[in-house]
Every structure is written in structure tokens, then in C-alpha cells.
Amino acid sequence: MLQVNDIRENKEKYIQALAKRGIDATTTFEEVLNIDEERRSSQAQLDEVLAQSNSYSKEIGKLFQTGETQRANELKEKTVELKESSKQLNEQMLTAAEKLQQLLYTLPNIPNDLVPAGTDENDNEEVYKEGEIPKLIEGALPHWELAKKYDIIDFELGVKITGAGFPVYKGKGARLQRALISYFLDKNTKAGYTEYQVPHLVNEASGYGTGQLPDKEGQMYHVGIDDLYLIPTAEVPVTNMFRGNLLNHVDLPVTCTGYTPCFRREAGSYGAHVRGLNRLHQFDKVEIVRIEHPDNSYVALDGMVEHVKDILRELKLPYRILRLCGGDLGFTAALTYDFEVFSTAQDRWLEISSVSNFETFQANRLKLRFKDTDGKNKLVHTLNGSALALPRVLAGILENYQTADGIKIPEVLVPYCGFDFID
């Protein structure tokens, strides 16, 4: 959530920055500032009324002590009027504050200067590419056919149990899935991230805290009777562990990792590009989250990018990194790098990680601050990244490592799997 003071001080700059997202925020910013002025005016009047009421209360006590009963009773009548005025002003102030907050919830984060202008994924900038695209055997299969051939993932059984987008992993497919989770967690903890196991359901405050609500409400599964949401990513519960906290500058950075299943409705997703593991309603993901001093957050972002690079190098998967343009940038992000692995059998790039800096956007919603060296309380910067999302990594492994006789297992995963070949 943007801060009103920042909007007031940087209005024109922010308008230009949000234009990268294809948003004209001029009218909304004017409304924000007008409502905030109403709130501030009501607050100033309320403060005056309360000060006057307190002054009268002190004077009434003195008047009764000196026997000036008539004057004391006159002032008592005025305090009654002031009490009614204060009630009305307080209601006005609270109404304005609520209107202001709801309006601020509709505004996305301000893109970083590095974010290119653009309308959709076609305008993203490729900033890095690594790995050779393998030459597959003649008649190479996409992963959903390989999964059926080797009986390691059953998509139809998932439909029977739940519906489309809920696959069942079997035998070596399940073991490979578990191996990837353990490998990712081990890589993250060795890099200094503390592992957490967190709830897979969150309350509404958590959804608002990290920015999924109200923006992504239609994409989240909602348990209405309990008013809880199934998590779309571990970022939500992990980051919300620190909601409302005041940290000390010496405690920064805070680094966390966690594995969770993730649940997304993915409404409106159809076509060949969502076949198999390409887009699911339930999938596994290992996440990394950082809480950083604002002065260090972009150095930390670069470090997270290098960390994901290292994982993909060990898996020996060809990948590229994209800097997302304004039109493709997530609602809460100031800057995002997407990692995509090349699926040789499908002849297309598959997104397998997003690494983002949210700057103070989430922290303002979370009321997550730190006490700096100057003794002042300031908002932290929050960051998160997938390290990694499993479905498309698994798809890339199955397709890129296939042979005429079966599927090889990446060398780094063999100790985790207990086997080196699927046949």
C-alpha cells in the first residue's frame, strides 16, 4: 500500500511511474489527497474540541471549589455540547480514514526505475540466458505423455478425486517430487535461510497484509464458513509471521524459507499452454522471503537472483531471466525478475520462479517496521522469490532429460531420489 505522504510529495513522479503499468492515477491521487485533507481537518477540529473540553473540565472543578456554582453549571452544559461535537468529528474522521484506506488498496506499487514500459509479457526484457538446449531423440514427448507412459503422474485420477488441475503423483514421480522439495530446502538453508513450516490457510488480515486481497480475491480459494483463504504461495503466511512487529536494525536481514502446497483458482486459463503441469490449481513450491533494511534491499534482490541461478545450474536446465515490464509486473512488486526454463519437447519457455522486491508496499500494509540507527521507526523492505516452483521444473526435467529408454535423473537429485533413472 502506498503512503499518503509519499503520494503528496511525489505525485507527478508517481503518475509517470504508474503510466508504465498502463494506469493513469491522476484522478485517484487527487481523490486520495482530498480525502486525506478531510481526515486531517476532522482530526484537527477534534483535537481542538477535546482540548477545549479538557480545559473546561479543569475550570469546572476550580469553580465548584470556590463556590461559583452557576458558572460551573454553564460550563458543564458546554462540555455536553462539546462531547456531541467530538462524537460527530470522530465519526467523520473514521469514515474518511476508511474511505482513504479502501482507495489506497486499489493502487498498485510504484515500479522501480529499472522497470521497462510495456503492456504485456511480450514487452519483458531478457537480461540473462544460460545453458544449452538439449537435442532430444526423434519422437520426443511432452511431459504429460511421458507421465502416462512411465506411470508417474495421473492427471485423470486427480480429476476423479477433485477436478482438473489436481494431479496425483505416483511411484517414482512422487519420489522425484519429494526429492525436489528436499533439495530446494537444503539449498536455501545452506544459504542462510531459516526453514519454517507454516499454515496452509490464512485469515483475511494476512491476505491484505501481503497484497493478495483485495487484488487477487477472485484467484484465491475461500473457505466461507470460517472466512479463511487457502494460500496461493508460502509468501503469505511466512511474511505475515512478522505483521505488526518492530524490529531492530541489528536484526536485519530476516531470511526465511518454507515449503507449502499452493492453491490458485487460475480462472480464465484455457488452451494448450495449460496442459499437464503447465498450470495447476494445486502445486508445490519452496519459497524464500527476506526482510531487509531499505538501503540493502536491491543488493539482496541481486543475491536472490544469483541463488536461483545456482540451483538451475546444478539441475543443468537451460534457463533465461526476464525483467518484467510495467504491464506484466505484479500488483505488489516494484521490480520482478522471472526465471523461465526451456521445455524442449514443447518448444517453449516455462516460468519457474519470480524474484521480487516490494520495497515498503507490503510493509506499510503489515505495519512492519524497524528501529534505525537514528532511533526512528521506519518501514522495512520485503522481498520474496520461488526457489523453486515444482510443476514446471519437473516438466522441464522430464522433457529435457528423456532418452529412448527412459528419463535420466539430474545428478544432483540422485542422492535425494535413491534412483537415477525412470523407465
Side-chain angles (χ1 to χ4, degrees):
M1 188 165 65
L2 301 181
Q3 300 177 73
V4 178
N5 288 341
D6 286 346
I7 293 174
R8 184 179 294 107
E9 294 172 7
N10 303 285
K11 187 176 75 167
E12 295 305 320
K13 176 184 175 183
Y14 283 4
I15 287 172
Q16 291 179 17
L18 287 175
K20 288 183 179 180
R21 291 181 177 271
I23 295 172
D24 183 355
T26 306
T27 302
T28 305
F29 281 171
E30 288 297 334
E31 191 175 353
V32 164
L33 297 177
N34 288 337
I35 294 173
D36 187 53
E37 191 57 42
E38 291 175 19
R39 183 193 63 80
R40 286 151 60 99
S41 176
S42 297
Q43 178 70 68
Q45 293 177 62
L46 178 60
D47 291 344
E48 288 181 14
V49 169
L50 292 176
Q52 185 65 66
S53 182
N54 288 337
S55 177
Y56 281 168
S57 295
K58 292 177 182 178
E59 191 173 349
I60 288 168
K62 293 177 181 177
L63 290 170
F64 275 125
Q65 287 177 0
T66 59
E68 299 179 65
T69 306
Q70 182 176 348
R71 175 60 178 160
N73 287 330
E74 289 174 357
L75 291 183
K76 282 182 69 176
E77 290 180 8
K78 289 185 177 182
T79 59
V80 172
E81 294 174 3
L82 289 173
K83 186 176 181 180
E84 182 61 31
S85 294
S86 68
K87 181 180 177 182
Q88 293 176 2
L89 287 167
N90 189 58
E91 289 175 355
Q92 290 175 18
M93 184 187 66
L94 293 176
T95 298
E98 178 64 20
K99 284 171 58 180
L100 180 63
Q101 182 154 333
Q102 292 305 316
L103 191 58
L104 289 171
Y105 278 148
T106 68
L107 287 167
N109 203 355
I110 303 299
N112 182 274
D113 290 342
L114 290 174
V115 173
T119 56
D120 55 34
E121 61 185 16
N122 297 313
D123 297 316
N124 294 335
E125 289 182 353
E126 182 181 297
V127 296
Y128 190 80
K129 184 185 286 186
E130 184 175 330
E132 291 187 11
I133 295 173
K135 294 181 180 179
L136 299 183
I137 57 171
E138 184 177 348
L141 301 173
H143 70 269
W144 54 86
E145 293 187 23
L146 291 168
K148 187 173 185 178
K149 179 179 180 179
Y150 296 108
D151 195 26
I152 54 176
I153 307 173
D154 195 324
F155 295 99
E156 288 75 20
L157 187 55
V159 171
K160 174 184 177 181
I161 298 168
T162 309
F166 296 89
V168 174
Y169 300 85
K170 302 170 60 179
K172 287 186 174 180
R175 290 169 66 184
L176 177 55
Q177 182 88 340
R178 177 157 50 93
L180 281 165
I181 294 167
S182 296
Y183 165 64
F184 293 153
L185 286 172
D186 282 353
K187 285 290 292 183
N188 296 345
T189 55
K190 286 175 184 176
Y193 292 89
T194 301
E195 182 178 349
Y196 290 88
Q197 288 190 359
V198 291
H200 302 159
L201 289 150
V202 293
N203 55 31
E204 186 179 67
S206 293
Y208 274 94
T210 43
Q212 282 70 34
L213 296 177
D215 179 59
K216 294 291 189 296
E217 186 168 10
Q219 293 293 341
M220 296 175 71
Y221 286 100
H222 184 220
V223 184
I225 194 169
D226 298 303
D227 196 21
L228 297 173
Y229 293 85
L230 275 71
I231 60 170
T233 166
E235 168 203 340
V236 183
V238 171
T239 311
N240 271 279
M241 292 191 301
F242 305 95
R243 172 159 40 96
N245 288 11
L246 176 62
L247 307 174
N248 194 291
H249 66 92
V250 297
D251 299 324
L252 300 176
V254 176
T255 57
C256 313
T257 187
Y259 151 71
T260 64
C262 304
F263 304 88
R264 300 182 186 180
R265 294 184 64 243
E266 297 289 5
S269 297
Y270 306 102
H273 68 288
V274 301
R275 290 194 67 181
L277 298 172
N278 287 350
R279 185 157 295 180
L280 302 175
H281 294 304
Q282 178 182 328
F283 61 94
D284 292 320
K285 184 152 68 85
V286 176
E287 198 81 357
I288 50 177
V289 171
R290 298 183 72 96
I291 299 172
E292 290 280 353
H293 191 291
D295 293 346
N296 192 55
S297 69
Y298 278 95
V299 173
L301 181 67
D302 291 342
M304 293 169 74
V305 167
E306 291 301 317
H307 178 69
V308 177
K309 279 184 183 179
D310 189 47
I311 293 174
L312 290 169
R313 286 186 186 120
E314 289 191 355
L315 290 173
K316 296 180 180 177
L317 290 171
Y319 71 94
R320 67 177 182 176
I321 303 174
L322 304 176
R323 182 186 291 128
L324 297 194
C325 70
D328 202 30
L329 191 65
F331 183 85
T332 55
L335 180 64
T336 295
Y337 292 104
D338 268 8
F339 283 75
E340 296 182 338
V341 66
F342 192 74
S343 166
T344 309
Q346 297 181 69
D347 192 29
R348 60 189 292 255
W349 292 96
L350 304 174
E351 181 198 332
I352 45 88
S353 176
S354 287
V355 181
S356 302
N357 189 344
F358 306 111
E359 297 186 0
T360 61
F361 192 84
Q362 288 183 335
N364 191 32
R365 289 173 172 239
L366 294 161
K367 300 297 180 281
L368 174 52
R369 294 177 166 83
F370 73 103
K371 190 174 289 294
D372 207 350
T373 52
D374 58 8
K376 294 181 179 179
N377 296 341
K378 301 175 183 177
L379 293 170
V380 299
H381 280 193
T382 60
L383 304 89
N384 91 281
S386 310
L388 290 165
L390 271 74
R392 294 172 185 173
V393 171
L394 184 57
I397 290 173
L398 297 179
E399 294 179 5
N400 291 346
Y401 277 82
Q402 66 180 296
T403 71
D405 301 317
I407 302 166
K408 293 180 180 178
I409 299 299
E411 184 179 351
V412 72
L413 294 179
V414 172
Y416 291 92
C417 290
F419 57 87
D420 60 6
F421 205 73
I422 295 174
D423 55 15

